[in-house]
């Protein structure tokens, strides 16, 4: 599933190519995504200039003068730029036809993604307004995590994957950040002290920034706007490495299930909690 680094990589790649371009029309081949694609989407954005492209959590926001597209990639979706006239394939559900001879094409084999339109401030949309802080923003730090954990009792990995606590920290990067912070993934949030939360917040920022620089992580589906795979898989310390030696100490990486998600950790390096 594309997580924050993958979505941010797409955002950074598309922004210089699309801001200032005009969307001539939208072609919807399959409206049955996670939520139905609005039937009037083509009418609402035809001949509209893309003023900006932003990311909020795992949503891409395409800002027009009086509306905004909200695109979520779901489990298997991706956006890519192709030349106008490029033949569509089975899972190419929506095309945005641009004024420069290109299409921005939304492909989603599993159809858990979404293409929505709002004529209000997208940050106040019901899907976004209650989200937690951005992990790379100034308002996210160890003190925020420490305060958010008060009077709660759940595994630290589930806690940092809660989008109301902090957005965009998915399964891959939660496991990696906990490894860097030397915290057990099943440790209770009430057993982590402020100093450890400071280290964890710094670790979340570090792993996300490194993943963005590498273009995200691809195991199977993810491709960026140019159809390229992300390269961060080669740098992973624990995720998807069960049975392999820890890159730091050589101890065998273990796999457990937390919150119905596969979780990877080093039993020697991760001792806190």
């Amino acid at each position: 599933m594309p997580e924050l680094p993958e979505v941010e990589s797409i955002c950074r790649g598309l922004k210089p190519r699309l801001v200032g371009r005009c969307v001539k029309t939208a072609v919807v081949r399959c409206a049955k995504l996670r939520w139905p694609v609005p039937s009037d989407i083509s009418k609402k954005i035809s001949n509209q200039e893309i003023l900006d492209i932003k990311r909020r959590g795992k949503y891409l926001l395409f800002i027009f003068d009086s509306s905004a597209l909200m695109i979520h990639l779901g489990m298997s979706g991706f956006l890519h730029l192709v030349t106008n006239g490029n033949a569509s394939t089975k899972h190419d559900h929506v095309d945005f036809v641009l004024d420069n001879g290109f299409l921005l094409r939304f492909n989603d084999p599993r159809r858990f993604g979404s293409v929505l339109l709002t004529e209000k401030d997208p940050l106040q949309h019901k899907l976004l307004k209650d989200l937690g802080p951005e992990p790379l923003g100034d308002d996210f730090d160890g003190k925020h995590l420490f305060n958010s954990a008060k009077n709660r009792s759940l595994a630290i990995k589930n806690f940092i994957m809660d989008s109301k606590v902090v957005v965009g920290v998915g399964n891959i990067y939660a496991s990696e950040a906990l490894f860097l912070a030397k915290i057990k993934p099943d440790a209770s949030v009430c057993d982590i002290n402020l100093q450890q939360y400071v280290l964890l917040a710094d670790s979340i920022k570090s792993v996300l920034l490194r993943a963005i620089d590498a273009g995200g992580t691809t195991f199977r589906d993810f491709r960026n706007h140019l159809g390229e795979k992300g390269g961060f898989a080669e740098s992973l310390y624990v995720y998807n490495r069960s049975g392999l030696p820890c890159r730091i100490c050589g101890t065998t990486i273990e796999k457990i299930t937390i919150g119905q998600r596969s979780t990877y950790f080093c039993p020697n390096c991760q001792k806190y909690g």
Side-chain angles (χ1 to χ4, degrees):
M1 177 179 181
E3 299 182 15
L4 186 151
E6 291 75 50
V7 180
E8 180 66 20
S9 296
I10 291 176
C11 182
R12 294 184 183 187
L14 290 178
K15 192 167 183 174
R17 292 171 171 83
L18 297 189
V19 170
R21 298 256 62 98
C22 184
V23 177
K24 296 174 65 177
T25 189
V27 178
V28 180
R29 298 185 186 85
C30 177
K32 295 180 180 180
L33 303 180
R34 183 176 183 183
W35 298 288
V37 178
S39 59
D40 59 352
I41 191 170
S42 182
K43 178 181 178 181
K44 290 288 180 66
I45 67 172
S46 290
N47 300 313
Q48 295 292 307
E49 179 185 350
I50 301 173
L51 302 178
D52 199 3
I53 302 175
K54 303 177 181 180
R55 178 193 54 77
R56 178 67 172 117
K58 298 178 186 179
Y59 282 86
L60 283 164
L61 308 177
F62 294 77
I63 309 300
F64 301 99
D65 181 54
S66 58
S67 62
L69 275 174
M70 300 170 52
I71 297 181
H72 194 288
L73 301 178
M75 296 292 291
S76 59
F78 65 96
L79 288 165
H80 55 132
L81 284 170
V82 297
T83 55
N84 198 348
N86 189 291
S88 63
T89 59
K90 180 179 180 181
H91 302 297
D92 290 334
H93 303 313
V94 184
D95 283 350
F96 299 99
V97 182
L98 306 171
D99 63 354
N100 62 348
F102 281 83
L103 308 172
L104 180 63
R105 177 164 282 169
F106 179 72
N107 177 290
D108 186 7
R110 299 181 68 179
R111 295 194 298 179
F112 285 119
S114 60
V115 177
L116 301 174
L117 185 70
T118 180
E119 295 180 323
K120 299 179 181 180
D121 179 358
L123 298 181
Q124 296 305 311
H125 191 278
K126 64 181 180 180
L127 294 171
L128 302 184
K129 65 184 181 68
D130 294 325
L131 292 179
E134 290 285 337
L136 302 180
D138 294 336
D139 54 348
F140 173 73
D141 55 20
K143 187 175 182 180
H144 166 75
L145 288 177
F146 180 75
N147 289 334
S148 299
K150 289 180 179 178
N151 302 316
R152 301 187 67 175
S153 58
L154 72 163
I156 186 66
K157 180 166 179 277
N158 288 344
F159 175 67
I160 62 174
M161 290 180 64
D162 182 346
S163 63
K164 292 185 178 181
V165 174
V166 58
V167 299
V169 185
N171 198 29
I172 296 172
Y173 304 109
S175 290
E176 291 295 299
L178 288 166
F179 173 80
L180 293 180
K182 301 181 180 181
I183 296 173
K184 297 175 182 177
D186 57 351
S188 173
V189 294
C190 60
D191 292 332
I192 308 300
N193 62 36
L194 177 57
Q195 182 179 1
Q196 291 162 350
Y197 274 120
V198 169
L199 179 57
L200 177 56
D202 289 343
S203 297
I204 289 171
K205 291 176 184 283
S206 175
V207 71
L208 292 177
L209 287 171
R210 290 191 296 112
I212 291 168
D213 287 342
T217 306
T218 298
F219 287 115
R220 184 173 57 187
D221 297 314
F222 174 71
R223 300 290 189 276
N224 68 13
H225 62 289
L226 299 176
E228 301 166 339
K229 296 181 179 181
F232 194 60
E234 298 177 3
S235 301
L236 294 171
Y237 283 103
V238 292
Y239 187 84
N240 205 37
R241 298 192 69 246
S242 60
L244 297 175
C246 174
R247 299 187 192 276
I248 301 300
C249 72
T251 301
T252 300
I253 299 298
E254 295 185 8
K255 174 184 174 181
I256 58 176
T257 300
I258 299 177
Q260 299 181 327
R261 293 177 180 270
S262 296
T263 300
Y264 304 85
F265 70 103
C266 172
N268 181 59
C269 291
Q270 294 172 254
K271 296 181 177 179
Y272 293 147

PDB file of all heavy atoms in Angstrom, residues 9-26:
ATOM      1  N   SER A   9       6.487  11.402  -2.886  1.00  0.00           N
ATOM      2  CA  SER A   9       7.339  11.318  -4.084  1.00  0.00           C
ATOM      3  C   SER A   9       6.544  11.662  -5.338  1.00  0.00           C
ATOM      4  O   SER A   9       7.036  12.366  -6.226  1.00  0.00           O
ATOM      5  CB  SER A   9       7.934   9.913  -4.213  1.00  0.00           C
ATOM      6  OG  SER A   9       8.799   9.624  -3.138  1.00  0.00           O
ATOM      7  N   ILE A  10       5.309  11.160  -5.414  1.00  0.00           N
ATOM      8  CA  ILE A  10       4.453  11.479  -6.551  1.00  0.00           C
ATOM      9  C   ILE A  10       4.118  12.967  -6.559  1.00  0.00           C
ATOM     10  O   ILE A  10       4.166  13.632  -7.601  1.00  0.00           O
ATOM     11  CB  ILE A  10       3.175  10.622  -6.522  1.00  0.00           C
ATOM     12  CG1 ILE A  10       3.515   9.163  -6.806  1.00  0.00           C
ATOM     13  CG2 ILE A  10       2.158  11.133  -7.541  1.00  0.00           C
ATOM     14  CD1 ILE A  10       2.335   8.223  -6.695  1.00  0.00           C
ATOM     15  N   CYS A  11       3.801  13.510  -5.393  1.00  0.00           N
ATOM     16  CA  CYS A  11       3.466  14.929  -5.287  1.00  0.00           C
ATOM     17  C   CYS A  11       4.623  15.790  -5.782  1.00  0.00           C
ATOM     18  O   CYS A  11       4.438  16.712  -6.596  1.00  0.00           O
ATOM     19  CB  CYS A  11       3.127  15.269  -3.832  1.00  0.00           C
ATOM     20  SG  CYS A  11       2.649  16.977  -3.557  1.00  0.00           S
ATOM     21  N   ARG A  12       5.827  15.504  -5.312  1.00  0.00           N
ATOM     22  CA  ARG A  12       7.000  16.292  -5.708  1.00  0.00           C
ATOM     23  C   ARG A  12       7.327  16.115  -7.182  1.00  0.00           C
ATOM     24  O   ARG A  12       7.819  17.041  -7.832  1.00  0.00           O
ATOM     25  CB  ARG A  12       8.198  15.901  -4.851  1.00  0.00           C
ATOM     26  CG  ARG A  12       8.039  16.257  -3.383  1.00  0.00           C
ATOM     27  CD  ARG A  12       9.295  15.939  -2.586  1.00  0.00           C
ATOM     28  NE  ARG A  12       9.104  16.221  -1.162  1.00  0.00           N
ATOM     29  CZ  ARG A  12      10.086  16.169  -0.264  1.00  0.00           C
ATOM     30  NH1 ARG A  12      11.329  15.832  -0.627  1.00  0.00           N
ATOM     31  NH2 ARG A  12       9.835  16.439   1.012  1.00  0.00           N
ATOM     32  N   GLY A  13       7.047  14.931  -7.713  1.00  0.00           N
ATOM     33  CA  GLY A  13       7.321  14.702  -9.128  1.00  0.00           C
ATOM     34  C   GLY A  13       6.331  15.377 -10.046  1.00  0.00           C
ATOM     35  O   GLY A  13       6.691  15.891 -11.113  1.00  0.00           O
ATOM     36  N   LEU A  14       5.058  15.394  -9.627  1.00  0.00           N
ATOM     37  CA  LEU A  14       4.019  15.973 -10.480  1.00  0.00           C
ATOM     38  C   LEU A  14       3.976  17.494 -10.418  1.00  0.00           C
ATOM     39  O   LEU A  14       3.629  18.154 -11.412  1.00  0.00           O
ATOM     40  CB  LEU A  14       2.649  15.424 -10.076  1.00  0.00           C
ATOM     41  CG  LEU A  14       2.363  13.958 -10.394  1.00  0.00           C
ATOM     42  CD1 LEU A  14       0.983  13.579  -9.882  1.00  0.00           C
ATOM     43  CD2 LEU A  14       2.464  13.693 -11.896  1.00  0.00           C
ATOM     44  N   LYS A  15       4.306  18.054  -9.276  1.00  0.00           N
ATOM     45  CA  LYS A  15       4.127  19.493  -9.075  1.00  0.00           C
ATOM     46  C   LYS A  15       4.809  20.351 -10.133  1.00  0.00           C
ATOM     47  O   LYS A  15       4.158  21.218 -10.743  1.00  0.00           O
ATOM     48  CB  LYS A  15       4.585  19.887  -7.668  1.00  0.00           C
ATOM     49  CG  LYS A  15       4.185  21.290  -7.260  1.00  0.00           C
ATOM     50  CD  LYS A  15       4.388  21.492  -5.766  1.00  0.00           C
ATOM     51  CE  LYS A  15       3.913  22.877  -5.347  1.00  0.00           C
ATOM     52  NZ  LYS A  15       3.976  23.045  -3.876  1.00  0.00           N
ATOM     53  N   PRO A  16       6.092  20.159 -10.410  1.00  0.00           N
ATOM     54  CA  PRO A  16       6.720  21.016 -11.431  1.00  0.00           C
ATOM     55  C   PRO A  16       6.223  20.749 -12.844  1.00  0.00           C
ATOM     56  O   PRO A  16       6.367  21.603 -13.722  1.00  0.00           O
ATOM     57  CB  PRO A  16       8.213  20.682 -11.299  1.00  0.00           C
ATOM     58  CG  PRO A  16       8.248  19.322 -10.703  1.00  0.00           C
ATOM     59  CD  PRO A  16       7.066  19.250  -9.782  1.00  0.00           C
ATOM     60  N   ARG A  17       5.628  19.590 -13.061  1.00  0.00           N
ATOM     61  CA  ARG A  17       5.152  19.236 -14.397  1.00  0.00           C
ATOM     62  C   ARG A  17       3.708  19.679 -14.650  1.00  0.00           C
ATOM     63  O   ARG A  17       3.330  19.893 -15.811  1.00  0.00           O
ATOM     64  CB  ARG A  17       5.266  17.720 -14.611  1.00  0.00           C
ATOM     65  CG  ARG A  17       6.707  17.224 -14.693  1.00  0.00           C
ATOM     66  CD  ARG A  17       6.766  15.703 -14.673  1.00  0.00           C
ATOM     67  NE  ARG A  17       8.111  15.208 -14.965  1.00  0.00           N
ATOM     68  CZ  ARG A  17       9.065  15.109 -14.055  1.00  0.00           C
ATOM     69  NH1 ARG A  17       8.832  15.442 -12.791  1.00  0.00           N
ATOM     70  NH2 ARG A  17      10.265  14.658 -14.392  1.00  0.00           N
ATOM     71  N   LEU A  18       2.911  19.803 -13.587  1.00  0.00           N
ATOM     72  CA  LEU A  18       1.481  20.037 -13.780  1.00  0.00           C
ATOM     73  C   LEU A  18       0.975  21.394 -13.307  1.00  0.00           C
ATOM     74  O   LEU A  18      -0.047  21.869 -13.813  1.00  0.00           O
ATOM     75  CB  LEU A  18       0.674  18.939 -13.072  1.00  0.00           C
ATOM     76  CG  LEU A  18       0.858  17.510 -13.586  1.00  0.00           C
ATOM     77  CD1 LEU A  18      -0.162  16.592 -12.925  1.00  0.00           C
ATOM     78  CD2 LEU A  18       0.747  17.429 -15.089  1.00  0.00           C
ATOM     79  N   VAL A  19       1.629  21.994 -12.330  1.00  0.00           N
ATOM     80  CA  VAL A  19       1.152  23.298 -11.867  1.00  0.00           C
ATOM     81  C   VAL A  19       1.261  24.312 -13.006  1.00  0.00           C
ATOM     82  O   VAL A  19       2.294  24.440 -13.656  1.00  0.00           O
ATOM     83  CB  VAL A  19       1.947  23.774 -10.634  1.00  0.00           C
ATOM     84  CG1 VAL A  19       1.610  25.243 -10.315  1.00  0.00           C
ATOM     85  CG2 VAL A  19       1.627  22.896  -9.436  1.00  0.00           C
ATOM     86  N   GLY A  20       0.150  24.986 -13.279  1.00  0.00           N
ATOM     87  CA  GLY A  20       0.076  25.915 -14.403  1.00  0.00           C
ATOM     88  C   GLY A  20      -0.532  25.306 -15.650  1.00  0.00           C
ATOM     89  O   GLY A  20      -0.915  26.028 -16.577  1.00  0.00           O
ATOM     90  N   ARG A  21      -0.640  23.989 -15.674  1.00  0.00           N
ATOM     91  CA  ARG A  21      -1.268  23.303 -16.796  1.00  0.00           C
ATOM     92  C   ARG A  21      -2.783  23.346 -16.627  1.00  0.00           C
ATOM     93  O   ARG A  21      -3.302  23.482 -15.519  1.00  0.00           O
ATOM     94  CB  ARG A  21      -0.804  21.847 -16.874  1.00  0.00           C
ATOM     95  CG  ARG A  21       0.696  21.692 -17.111  1.00  0.00           C
ATOM     96  CD  ARG A  21       1.002  21.294 -18.543  1.00  0.00           C
ATOM     97  NE  ARG A  21       0.590  22.246 -19.533  1.00  0.00           N
ATOM     98  CZ  ARG A  21       1.415  23.149 -20.094  1.00  0.00           C
ATOM     99  NH1 ARG A  21       2.670  23.228 -19.725  1.00  0.00           N
ATOM    100  NH2 ARG A  21       0.977  23.962 -21.026  1.00  0.00           N
ATOM    101  N   CYS A  22      -3.484  23.185 -17.739  1.00  0.00           N
ATOM    102  CA  CYS A  22      -4.942  23.209 -17.738  1.00  0.00           C
ATOM    103  C   CYS A  22      -5.476  21.797 -17.993  1.00  0.00           C
ATOM    104  O   CYS A  22      -4.958  21.079 -18.857  1.00  0.00           O
ATOM    105  CB  CYS A  22      -5.439  24.158 -18.823  1.00  0.00           C
ATOM    106  SG  CYS A  22      -7.225  24.368 -18.855  1.00  0.00           S
ATOM    107  N   VAL A  23      -6.468  21.396 -17.214  1.00  0.00           N
ATOM    108  CA  VAL A  23      -7.148  20.121 -17.441  1.00  0.00           C
ATOM    109  C   VAL A  23      -8.258  20.354 -18.451  1.00  0.00           C
ATOM    110  O   VAL A  23      -9.208  21.084 -18.182  1.00  0.00           O
ATOM    111  CB  VAL A  23      -7.725  19.551 -16.134  1.00  0.00           C
ATOM    112  CG1 VAL A  23      -8.489  18.255 -16.421  1.00  0.00           C
ATOM    113  CG2 VAL A  23      -6.614  19.288 -15.124  1.00  0.00           C
ATOM    114  N   LYS A  24      -8.140  19.749 -19.612  1.00  0.00           N
ATOM    115  CA  LYS A  24      -9.150  19.948 -20.658  1.00  0.00           C
ATOM    116  C   LYS A  24     -10.431  19.179 -20.343  1.00  0.00           C
ATOM    117  O   LYS A  24     -11.543  19.679 -20.535  1.00  0.00           O
ATOM    118  CB  LYS A  24      -8.587  19.529 -22.018  1.00  0.00           C
ATOM    119  CG  LYS A  24      -7.409  20.392 -22.474  1.00  0.00           C
ATOM    120  CD  LYS A  24      -6.782  19.864 -23.750  1.00  0.00           C
ATOM    121  CE  LYS A  24      -7.747  19.948 -24.927  1.00  0.00           C
ATOM    122  NZ  LYS A  24      -7.096  19.495 -26.178  1.00  0.00           N
ATOM    123  N   THR A  25     -10.281  17.951 -19.844  1.00  0.00           N
ATOM    124  CA  THR A  25     -11.455  17.141 -19.502  1.00  0.00           C
ATOM    125  C   THR A  25     -10.996  15.955 -18.663  1.00  0.00           C
ATOM    126  O   THR A  25      -9.786  15.709 -18.510  1.00  0.00           O
ATOM    127  CB  THR A  25     -12.179  16.636 -20.767  1.00  0.00           C
ATOM    128  OG1 THR A  25     -13.420  16.039 -20.404  1.00  0.00           O
ATOM    129  CG2 THR A  25     -11.331  15.615 -21.531  1.00  0.00           C
ATOM    130  N   ALA A  26     -11.961  15.225 -18.123  1.00  0.00           N
ATOM    131  CA  ALA A  26     -11.679  13.984 -17.396  1.00  0.00           C
ATOM    132  C   ALA A  26     -12.450  12.857 -18.062  1.00  0.00           C
ATOM    133  O   ALA A  26     -13.611  13.014 -18.439  1.00  0.00           O
ATOM    134  CB  ALA A  26     -12.084  14.107 -15.932  1.00  0.00           C
TER     135      ALA A  26
END
